Amino acid sequence: MPGKAATGRATATAAKATPVTNGSHSGVAGEDATTFAERPPQGRLLAQRGLYAGPSAVVTKDLYAEVLAGVVSRHRAAITLEESAKVSGNTYFGRFPASYWQRWTTAKQVRVEAVVTGSGQLTVSASDVEGEPRVVAAHPVEGVQQASVTLEAKIDKFLDGGALWLDLATETGQRLTVEQVRWTVDPPEQIRPTAVTICTMNRADDCLANLQALAGDLSSLETLDAIYVADQGTDRVDSRDGFDQVAKDLGDKLHYINQPNLGGAGGFTRGLYEVAGHTETAHANVLFMDDDVLLEPDLVIRLTAFSNRAANPIIVGGQMLNLLHPHQLHVGAEYAQLDALQPGVPVEHSLETADLLGVDEETGKPNRQERRLDAGYNGWWSCLIPYEVVQKIGYPMPFFFQWDDSEYSYRARGHGFPTVTLPGAGVWHADFHWKDWDEWHRYFNLRNSIITAALHSTFNLTVVCRVLLAQLIRYLLCMQYGLSHTLIKAVEDFLEGPEILRDGGVAAMKEIREIRSRYPETKRHDVTDVPGIASNDIGILNAAPKPSLQRVILLKRILDRVLGRHRFGLGQIPSDEASWWHVSLFETAVVTDASQEGVRVRQYDRARMFALAKHGAKVLNRLRKEGPAVQQQFKRAMPELTSRENWKRLYKL
């Protein structure tokens, strides 16, 4: 169990883990909370560790070190090369993102420290914006035993792109073991205290696993002062058998809070709220982390070190790797097209759904993010926010769910705080394309995207209404009547103005679920138990290629729907072929859910289609006329909605 917290901050008393409702702290940390204060550094600042295996057996070791030749044994913190072996650290987790350190921090050089046994050579290599390698430092060893080896590299010549990494090699008759690899930089004058905040909702096992991962690496997480768990569910984390042990392991760092369900926004904001209420300094960090990620604990080291050496306060985000495909990077960096209500747009030159073990089809080069990218925002699967940002712009909007991360980053950018997505700081999160779009959360995605556009863009209503109309038409053509109503409700609630956010989204969540329950196609069924349809009668009918004259085909499909004409009576459609030009040919379509766990039955309903089309046209016309006035209402209300007092009210404190 770790000892008391570092010098310079008060600590809380450990006690029995018996959480209290109404937002109070668990007995894990007693009634007192961690008092956050800066403290002097103790030695050099650890920027990242050299690791040779992942936190789980499902993660390939090739993401950490690539064996180029010979026999090699790779372990979490150590690696052994037999004779005539070569290993490259030019991998996702093996690289030091030098370009980002040169652009955003004041560090001028980095030191690679290792404990070495045997004979061989350690080499620090570098790349440029084109990925061309070069050697910047080399250190041969001969017959050493647990020797400390240090190599240094300047953080220069990387402004547009490039990274550093450690290569290892042995020759005939040599054997080399390298362990305890550390990339360190000169420390700042004061270390910023950091609190991890995990928002969880009925994912007790996932959340507990991440707490255990943090506890298992606690000795290396030198900059981590506290861990807040905002549990908003009924299946609580503290109900699990392993919770008492992890509470004991984390000691006074853990603060377990049970609070009303206020969505992701309410869960993550709780960490900001707690740190702000117990800090003695403006210089502190809050690191948001999803409950259902597979955590690489080194992420905490990498993000906090980067923030500690940043030239100015910035939001620092980690990247997302696809959990179902652990070797895939979701996106190198992303931004939102606000007027088009489109989040998650890859930045120019960004890797996207990239096989990190593969090569680029156009260039033939390995998939490495060599070029430095400027992100628009970073998802809150892992994102570090300095307290200075909170002081300047306030807390997140009470959005409940979706777009809270992008809204906060764009608001921060407007006040001089950009967002940096740091390569090599990654967590594994459920693949987005395996989540179906036709769910209740689509309401929050739409409503909050319109609010964000109203707050932080030109709010070109011609563009906004055109985007929404195009979506509505496609939903109706595809017989997604519940999704159509979801869109209409999102626009209607935006037009209600800021009052819709008064309760943090609780009532809206209940209402949209009730609305969607009226539509049969929103329900998922087992493919062998589809209501009213014999399983053997459902055959796959594949889609034709994407039409070249889409507008012509769109008009034809609309006319067919209006007249009630169908090419096919019944058929099954794979999820990836459920495009509007194909689904609109059917009277009844059995469509595979994106989760691949069942199907949705979409049936043509002419009366419902006309009613929703009429309702939607009326609402979009209102948006075009009333939008500017509602935009000003949200802008006037934003300071109050994002205030500490408003969140205190929502937390019922």
Side-chain angles (χ1 to χ4, degrees), residues 1 51 92 132 137 263 296 308 391 394 397 436 442 470 482 508 528 539 568:
M1 177 174 171
L51 302 172
Y92 180 78
E132 293 298 321
E296 169 52 78
N308 265 289
Q391 285 185 308
M397 289 283 281
D436 205 277
R442 179 60 172 148
T528 60
F568 305 111

Side-chain angles (χ1 to χ4, degrees), residues 133-426:
R134 66 184 188 277
V135 173
V136 296
H139 189 108
V141 293
E142 186 68 39
V144 298
Q145 183 70 31
Q146 291 285 296
S148 296
V149 172
T150 299
L151 300 92
E152 293 191 350
K154 291 182 179 179
I155 303 176
D156 62 0
K157 297 180 173 58
F158 297 103
L159 199 54
D160 285 337
L164 292 160
W165 64 88
L166 179 65
D167 290 332
L168 307 171
T170 57
E171 296 183 354
T172 303
Q174 293 184 329
R175 187 175 191 268
L176 180 69
T177 295
V178 178
E179 54 191 335
Q180 300 176 43
V181 177
R182 292 164 52 93
W183 294 74
T184 67
V185 295
D186 291 330
E189 293 184 3
Q190 295 287 315
I191 298 294
R192 303 168 66 95
T194 297
V196 164
T197 293
I198 302 176
C199 168
T200 188
M201 168 70 176
N202 293 339
R203 287 172 174 160
D205 294 329
D206 292 334
C207 186
L208 179 62
N210 284 321
L211 290 176
Q212 291 168 333
L214 290 170
D217 253 339
L218 201 59
S219 60
S220 299
L221 306 180
E222 302 165 358
T223 59
L224 180 58
D225 287 50
I227 301 168
Y228 288 95
V229 177
D231 194 336
Q232 304 182 132
T234 53
D235 182 15
R236 286 165 41 166
V237 182
D238 63 338
S239 70
R240 294 304 191 263
D241 290 339
F243 181 78
D244 284 347
Q245 182 60 52
V246 82
K248 180 180 178 182
D249 294 341
L250 292 172
D252 57 14
K253 291 183 184 290
L254 179 61
H255 303 272
Y256 181 75
I257 302 169
N258 184 248
Q259 68 180 34
N261 180 20
L262 294 167
F268 285 126
T269 300
R270 188 59 184 264
L272 295 177
Y273 184 93
E274 293 296 328
V275 171
H278 302 99
T279 183
E280 297 176 353
T281 174
H283 310 296
N285 297 322
V286 181
L287 174 53
F288 292 171
M289 190 180 301
D290 264 349
D291 58 350
D292 60 341
V293 298
L294 172 59
L295 174 64
E296 169 52 78
D298 211 58
L299 167 118
V300 179
I301 295 171
R302 299 183 186 206
L303 293 185
T304 56
F306 194 82
S307 180
N308 265 289
R309 288 308 313 265
N312 299 289
I314 51 176
I315 296 175
V316 188
Q319 293 180 326
M320 173 185 148
L321 306 173
N322 287 330
L323 184 58
L324 296 175
H325 305 85
H327 54 90
Q328 284 183 355
L329 176 68
H330 168 55
V331 65
E334 59 190 338
Y335 70 101
Q337 293 178 344
L338 297 181
D339 276 346
L341 313 179
Q342 181 63 50
V345 182
V347 170
E348 184 74 19
H349 302 296
S350 170
L351 293 176
E352 179 186 6
T353 317
D355 180 1
L356 295 170
L357 307 180
V359 298
D360 184 276
E361 294 181 358
E362 293 184 4
T363 65
K365 294 182 178 181
N367 282 326
R368 305 281 185 266
Q369 190 66 67
E370 300 290 0
R371 188 177 296 272
R372 181 175 54 78
L373 308 174
D374 284 341
Y377 72 98
N378 199 95
W380 281 355
W381 48 75
S382 59
C383 190
L384 183 149
I385 299 176
Y387 181 48
E388 294 96 320
V389 177
V390 184
Q391 285 185 308
K392 184 73 173 180
I393 75 170
Y395 293 83
M397 289 283 281
F399 273 174
F400 191 83
F401 190 63
Q402 303 273 323
W403 279 81
D404 40 8
D405 45 17
S406 49
E407 187 283 323
Y408 199 76
S409 276
Y410 280 103
R411 186 171 10 133
R413 181 176 294 276
H415 288 81
F417 301 105
T419 295
V420 175
T421 297
L422 188 65

Side-chain angles (χ1 to χ4, degrees), residues 1-18:
M1 177 174 171
K4 293 298 181 184
T7 303
R9 63 182 174 89
T11 61
T13 304
K16 187 179 179 182
T18 53

Side-chain angles (χ1 to χ4, degrees), residues 589-606:
V590 180
V591 182
T592 305
D593 191 79
S595 68
Q596 297 294 307
E597 295 179 0
V599 295
R600 314 280 187 104
V601 181
R602 306 182 193 174
Q603 291 183 307
Y604 177 70
D605 188 326
R606 189 171 186 273

Side-chain angles (χ1 to χ4, degrees), residues 470-487:
Q471 290 182 16
L472 179 61
I473 290 173
R474 283 159 175 76
Y475 294 161
L476 291 173
L477 285 175
C478 290
M479 300 176 286
Q480 292 175 289
Y481 305 120
L483 189 55
S484 300
H485 200 156
T486 301
L487 181 150

